[in-house]
Amino acid sequence: MSASAEATAAPASAKARAILDAAAELFITHGYGAVSMDAVAKRAGVSKATLYAHFGAKDRLFAAIIQSACLDMRGETPEMGPAGGSLFDAMLPMAIRWLGFLLRERSLGMYRVVVAEGARFPELAMAFHENGPRATRQWLTGWLAAQAARGLLQAPDPALAADQCLALLRSEMFLQATLGIGPVPNEAAIATSAAAAIRTFCRAYGAAD
Amino acid sequence: MSASAEATAAPASAKARAILDAAAELFITHGYGAVSMDAVAKRAGVSKATLYAHFGAKDRLFAAIIQSACLDMRGETPEMGPAGGSLFDAMLPMAIRWLGFLLRERSLGMYRVVVAEGARFPELAMAFHENGPRATRQWLTGWLAAQAARGLLQAPDPALAADQCLALLRSEMFLQATLGIGPVPNEAAIATSAAAAIRTFCRAYGAAD
DNA sequence: GTCTATAGGCCGATAGAC
DNA sequence: GTCTATCGGCCTATAGAC
């Protein structure tokens, strides 16, 4: 146990990059306990000794991977310009993109592995929350406050409104996807679910329909 | 790998009961991979051989434990009578009890372990969903339909309304608890969060405030 | 830096006595 | 049914040659 926060820096050599890619893929797909260092080395095309020369231990490799993936998440989270139409029309495309992002296998895998190992790696749970849910919530809070100032909605507590908007989007469909139950939602299903969520949100918060 | 659905029956001897209790506690708290059969045997006060005599393998013990805990969940899920006042007043106590149930360490542990091992044990993910979220959703759907018939709310799609109600309750507070971040919510915080969710739900669906 | 080869330990599962 | 003792394997991590 020595999970520190270094090694997230430049991926010097090509082998190091291969190790990082292989480890990310495997850890996010199968979780921490189910992935052996042998498997990482094999997939990266290097020997185990090389792997240990670059990252000192399994937990350090895991921490480096997940921390890095959490930072990537921040860039990938879809955002959106202000748009001019109704509140619903402005929010729907953003909602569809965000829900689609959430339901991608990589996002689901990240969520699963962080939930599973959050107790053993508290700093990873924090990093995930900061760069994922919290960053999205903060951005949406600002956006909703701006729209409220323009009279498009009534939100005395924009942070609460943002919470509830994201909670509505993260509904039964996300729960089932998280558990790996039922069919993988396609684009149409995602759009339908997002529209239902935004419709309800606008009915609760919209100044006008 | 031979996770079948038997062994959920009568816990014949006292040792068998001790094994079940120990395994439930350990698996739900620490997850599948982090718990060794030695640890289960030690905590149950029996030898490993006894453990293997009762349950043939680790995955079978795990499946038996979680499946049984999923069935228990159904009985523990708080329900509620019809009540006579406003929609908000009728829903709030139910919401508080349900959110409190969701935030208990045992519920969170169950959720974490099923999310983590859902890929390896699909039948457990199904059982969890059936007896937990799906059962609650079905009951709430019926309840909302009944209230709609009485004119207390407008819900053309009661199942969708139930989804969204539960999604609103399962908001940022539940996400943080799931990740083990921040302080454990106390009763007051739970009541506040539940009230905010039900208030928004009623604003979107209520016939009258 | 990178490899092959291996040490050392823990874990799941079993043999055999009682 | 229950125990003690142990096997065989996989896993993390390292030694030593190149």
Side-chain angles (χ1 to χ4, degrees):
Chain A
M1 279 293 184
S2 58
S4 78
E6 51 191 325
T8 323
S13 73
K15 299 238 171 191
R17 192 85 212 117
I19 292 174
L20 286 171
D21 289 345
E25 159 81 22
L26 290 175
F27 279 135
I28 291 176
T29 305
H30 300 104
Y32 181 72
V35 172
S36 71
M37 293 297 258
D38 282 271
V40 175
K42 189 172 185 180
R43 176 172 249 268
V46 304
S47 75
K48 255 195 302 184
T50 301
L51 199 164
Y52 275 95
H54 282 268
F55 310 85
K58 186 184 179 183
D59 58 353
R60 288 225 274 149
L61 176 59
F62 179 71
I65 292 304
I66 303 299
Q67 201 108 31
S68 159
C70 286
L71 290 177
D72 291 352
M73 211 171 32
R74 186 160 218 145
E76 285 183 60
T77 305
E79 300 198 354
M80 197 210 148
S86 71
L87 184 61
F88 180 86
D89 291 341
M91 294 187 76
L92 185 58
M94 167 192 77
I96 291 176
R97 275 205 294 275
W98 188 70
L99 187 55
F101 166 77
L102 224 66
L103 293 174
R104 281 168 40 192
E105 260 314 313
R106 186 174 182 92
S107 308
L108 292 173
M110 281 280 297
Y111 176 73
R112 290 192 194 109
V113 75
V114 172
V115 165
E117 304 299 333
R120 219 187 321 195
F121 301 91
E123 73 278 13
L124 294 190
M126 286 292 299
F128 173 80
H129 186 251
E130 291 279 327
N131 295 288
R134 191 162 149 68
T136 302
R137 183 187 112 128
Q138 232 161 3
W139 175 83
L140 183 57
T141 299
W143 190 86
L144 287 176
Q147 306 313 309
R150 291 174 49 202
L152 267 179
L153 80 160
Q154 259 200 325
D157 185 343
L160 175 63
D163 261 4
Q164 295 185 330
C165 176
L166 296 176
L168 282 168
L169 284 167
R170 208 173 41 217
S171 65
E172 176 70 13
M173 181 176 283
F174 175 69
L175 178 63
Q176 287 191 25
T178 287
L179 295 174
I181 289 176
V184 178
N186 58 20
E187 282 188 35
I190 291 175
T192 301
S193 182
I198 299 303
R199 204 173 296 124
T200 293
F201 179 82
C202 290
R203 226 181 296 131
Y205 282 101
D209 246 28
Chain B
M1 279 294 182
S2 59
S4 78
E6 50 191 323
T8 322
S13 74
K15 299 237 171 193
R17 191 85 214 117
I19 293 174
L20 286 171
D21 289 345
E25 160 80 23
L26 290 175
F27 279 135
I28 291 176
T29 305
H30 300 104
Y32 181 73
V35 172
S36 72
M37 293 298 259
D38 284 270
V40 175
K42 189 172 186 181
R43 177 173 247 268
V46 303
S47 73
K48 251 197 305 185
T50 301
L51 199 164
Y52 274 95
H54 283 269
F55 311 86
K58 186 184 181 183
D59 58 353
R60 287 225 274 148
L61 175 59
F62 180 71
I65 292 304
I66 302 299
Q67 201 108 30
S68 159
C70 286
L71 291 177
D72 291 352
M73 210 171 35
R74 186 160 218 146
E76 285 183 60
T77 305
E79 300 198 354
M80 197 209 148
S86 72
L87 184 61
F88 180 86
D89 291 340
M91 294 186 77
L92 184 56
M94 166 192 77
I96 291 176
R97 275 204 294 273
W98 189 69
L99 187 55
F101 166 77
L102 224 66
L103 292 174
R104 281 168 40 191
E105 260 313 312
R106 187 174 181 92
S107 308
L108 292 172
M110 281 280 298
Y111 176 72
R112 291 192 194 109
V113 75
V114 172
V115 165
E117 304 299 334
R120 219 186 321 193
F121 301 92
E123 74 279 12
L124 293 191
M126 286 292 297
F128 173 81
H129 186 250
E130 291 280 326
N131 295 287
R134 192 161 148 68
T136 303
R137 181 186 115 128
Q138 232 160 2
W139 175 82
L140 183 57
T141 300
W143 191 85
L144 287 176
Q147 307 313 310
R150 290 174 49 203
L152 267 179
L153 79 160
Q154 260 199 326
D157 186 343
L160 174 64
D163 262 3
Q164 295 185 329
C165 176
L166 296 176
L168 283 168
L169 284 167
R170 209 173 39 217
S171 65
E172 176 70 12
M173 180 175 284
F174 175 69
L175 177 62
Q176 287 190 25
T178 287
L179 296 174
I181 290 177
V184 178
N186 58 19
E187 282 188 33
I190 291 175
T192 302
S193 182
I198 299 302
R199 203 173 296 123
T200 294
F201 179 82
C202 289
R203 227 181 294 131
Y205 281 102
D209 246 27

